[in-house]
């Protein structure tokens, strides 16, 4: 059910367009996916190919509710590629894979609906 205004999830404060341009969101193709049993919340370890300029980056993603490991291989996803790496347990996550919460809060991946070149930037 879609609510026109959800006071529990208000819109963020306005920003300048230049602030948006600082966030580097790129598309990449998942080339490896494996379990991440050490994570506090259920997650997978991903290796994502962002093309020749950025190469392959690692990400931890809490996407176990809607996705099986086998179906992730070859799937394009969007990720923020210019955050500093983040240590998650013994795993260093290099990019933030993007998604939206469904009605129960489980992550649904954000991806283009047509194939685009790996490394393409969101604008």
């Amino acid at each position: 059910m879609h609510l026109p205004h959800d006071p529990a999830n208000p819109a963020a404060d306005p920003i300048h367009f230049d602030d948006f341009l600082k966030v580097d969101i790129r598309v990449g193709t998942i080339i490896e996916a494996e379990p991440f049993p050490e994570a506090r919340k259920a997650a997978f370890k991903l290796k994502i190919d962002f093309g020749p300029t950025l190469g392959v980056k690692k990400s931890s993603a809490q996407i176990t509710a809607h996705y099986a490991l086998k179906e992730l291989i070859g799937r394009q996803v969007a990720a923020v590629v210019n955050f500093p790496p983040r240590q998650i347990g013994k795993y260093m996550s290099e990019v933030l894979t993007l998604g939206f919460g469904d009605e129960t809060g489980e992550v649904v991946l954000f991806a283009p609906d047509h194939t685009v070149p790996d490394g393409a930037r969101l604008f």
Side-chain angles (χ1 to χ4, degrees):
M1 179 162 136
H2 178 267
L3 300 175
H5 175 70
D6 181 0
N9 192 14
D13 292 335
I15 62 171
H16 295 280
F17 188 71
D18 289 343
D19 293 325
F20 168 73
L21 292 176
K22 292 176 187 176
V23 181
D24 193 352
I25 300 172
R26 305 280 181 125
V27 69
T29 299
I30 298 172
I31 59 171
E32 286 183 34
E34 59 185 61
F36 190 7
E38 308 86 10
R40 277 187 262 154
K41 291 185 176 181
F44 293 143
K45 295 178 187 178
L46 306 177
K47 286 190 180 173
I48 306 168
D49 185 353
F50 291 97
T53 302
L54 296 174
V56 175
K57 303 288 183 185
K58 298 184 299 183
S59 182
S60 169
Q62 296 174 356
I63 56 174
T64 60
H66 291 297
Y67 303 96
L69 290 170
K70 287 195 285 188
E71 74 183 45
L72 290 169
I73 306 302
R75 182 186 184 97
Q76 285 197 306
V77 294
V80 176
V81 299
N82 66 332
F83 285 152
R86 184 172 176 200
Q87 190 77 39
I88 302 175
K90 295 181 180 181
Y91 189 72
M92 185 64 73
S93 187
E94 300 172 305
V95 299
L96 175 64
T97 304
L98 299 176
F100 295 96
D102 67 9
E103 56 280 338
T104 65
E106 298 294 345
V107 178
V108 176
L109 289 168
F110 178 60
D113 59 0
H114 295 283
T115 302
V116 297
D118 287 334
R121 186 169 182 177
L122 180 75
F123 58 87

